[in-house]
């Protein structure tokens, strides 16, 4: 499963990129606005931090196919590398997806709430579809079930489109995506920390340290190797 960071905060991106095996960054207009920074320097800085090989999904703010296609070209030129234009699913968005995918600009169709939206976006040429798991759970739907069915449908029709599950509020929602075969998740840095953290792990580490010190004091393995070698 691909792990993507859902933020435009450069400190968080730098930290996650250093410590976690992340595959890229996603943003949307809300996430970008949250940073209150000049847009172009911000996206250029994010690209510099993650490098050209990691995915960078940036959402269009345009609403007509013509304007969306124009933004796709302009953003591709500015950020380069593994760039994906996020387009909310709509008739204009699908028209733009068909044009851009034919031109070789990769598209992530976003704000997906139904299986048929995802299938149609995949047929239009989207590389990823992004169903909103938590927002589905909030309307008493089942976000993970929708992801599972979209994944099965895309595999069934052998469409070269991956499922990038988005909109998470807890670890359980993310875990369920890995059990239903979702291709990718995009999650906030604080949720990534929660995926990794478990208090029992720290209890175990404390016990290891105490047992080691009871015999070897504060000597590290490296120090013992140096002493052994003389
Ligand atoms: C992905 O990039 C989506 O825009 C994002 O995950 C939506 O999350 P939210 O439902 O918490 O706003």
């Amino acid at each position: 499963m691909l792990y993507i960071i859902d933020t435009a905060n450069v400190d968080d991106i730098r930290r996650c990129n250093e410590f976690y095996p992340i595959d890229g960054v996603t943003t949307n207009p809300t996430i970008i606005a949250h940073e209150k920074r000049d847009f172009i320097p911000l996206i250029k800085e994010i690209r510099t931090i993650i490098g050209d090989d990691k995915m960078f999904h940036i959402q269009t703010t345009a609403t007509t196919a013509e304007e969306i296609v124009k933004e796709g070209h302009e953003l591709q030129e500015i950020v380069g590398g593994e760039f994906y234009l996020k387009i909310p699913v709509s008739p204009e968005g699908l028209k733009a997806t068909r044009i851009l995918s034919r031109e070789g600009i990769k598209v992530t169709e976003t704000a997906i709430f139904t299986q048929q939206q995802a299938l149609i976006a995949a047929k239009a040429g989207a590389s990823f579809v992004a169903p909103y798991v938590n927002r589905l759970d909030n309307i008493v739907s089942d976000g993970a079930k929708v992801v599972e069915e979209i994944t099965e449908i895309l595999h069934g029709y052998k469409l070269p489109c991956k499922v990038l599950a988005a909109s998470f509020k807890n670890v359980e929602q993310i875990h369920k995506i890995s059990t239903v075969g979702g291709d990718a998740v995009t999650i906030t840095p604080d949720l990534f920390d929660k995926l990794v953290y478990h208090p029992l792990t720290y209890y175990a580490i404390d016990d290891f340290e105490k047992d080691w010190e009871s015999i070897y004091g504060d000597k590290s393995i490296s120090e013992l190797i140096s002493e052994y070698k003389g």
Side-chain angles (χ1 to χ4, degrees):
M1 188 163 74
L2 301 170
Y3 285 97
I4 301 175
I5 296 295
D6 203 19
T7 183
N9 183 279
V10 291
D11 294 331
D12 282 336
I13 293 170
R14 207 172 278 114
R15 180 175 67 81
C16 290
N17 194 45
E18 180 178 354
F19 291 100
Y20 299 142
I22 67 164
D23 297 288
V25 169
T26 50
T27 64
N28 63 33
T30 307
I31 288 169
I32 293 280
H34 187 74
E35 297 307 308
K36 299 184 174 64
R37 286 187 49 182
D38 287 343
F39 176 63
I40 305 300
L42 175 58
I43 59 174
K44 280 173 115 28
E45 187 174 348
I46 293 171
R47 172 53 85 206
T48 302
I49 294 168
I50 63 175
D52 278 345
D53 294 343
K54 289 192 178 166
M55 293 186 282
F56 191 6
H57 302 245
I58 304 174
Q59 191 164 319
T60 181
T61 56
T63 52
T64 67
E66 193 184 4
E67 290 165 346
I68 295 170
V69 168
K70 184 166 177 281
E71 280 191 7
H73 292 159
E74 290 166 343
L75 284 168
Q76 165 91 308
E77 195 186 323
I78 286 171
V79 295
E82 270 292 289
F83 165 69
Y84 292 77
L85 183 69
K86 282 177 72 188
I87 304 177
V89 62
S90 71
E92 294 284 341
L94 290 165
K95 180 178 172 185
T97 301
R98 295 173 68 204
I99 295 168
L100 288 168
S101 61
R102 275 199 299 264
E103 292 175 353
I105 293 183
K106 291 183 279 241
V107 170
T108 296
E109 208 83 11
T110 193
I112 298 276
F113 284 84
T114 73
Q115 296 83 338
Q116 286 302 311
Q117 285 178 323
L119 177 55
I120 291 164
K123 268 205 77 173
S127 299
F128 283 97
V129 285
Y132 278 10
V133 174
N134 186 62
R135 295 193 199 197
L136 278 161
D137 288 349
N138 278 346
I139 54 168
V140 203
S141 179
D142 183 341
K145 186 75 190 156
V146 172
V147 169
E148 181 177 13
E149 288 187 11
I150 292 173
T151 306
E152 284 171 3
I153 291 167
L154 298 185
H155 286 173
Y157 286 112
K158 298 187 171 39
L159 285 162
C161 175
K162 290 185 171 155
V163 183
L164 166 51
S167 175
F168 292 102
K169 286 294 169 283
N170 61 59
V171 164
E172 175 65 8
Q173 289 171 328
I174 298 164
H175 174 61
K176 275 189 186 163
I177 300 306
S178 60
T179 67
V180 301
D183 299 295
V185 289
T186 184
I187 55 183
T188 55
D190 66 309
L191 262 182
F192 212 123
D193 293 335
K194 289 194 174 88
L195 285 183
V196 173
Y197 176 79
H198 196 288
L200 286 179
T201 305
Y202 288 92
Y203 290 151
I205 292 169
D206 280 349
D207 285 344
F208 293 142
E209 280 177 5
K210 278 181 209 135
D211 292 342
W212 178 267
E213 280 167 20
S214 70
I215 303 298
Y216 302 104
D218 60 1
K219 291 249 163 81
S220 68
I221 288 178
S222 287
E223 285 169 320
L224 295 178
I225 289 171
S226 297
E227 283 175 15
Y228 176 78
K229 283 181 173 173

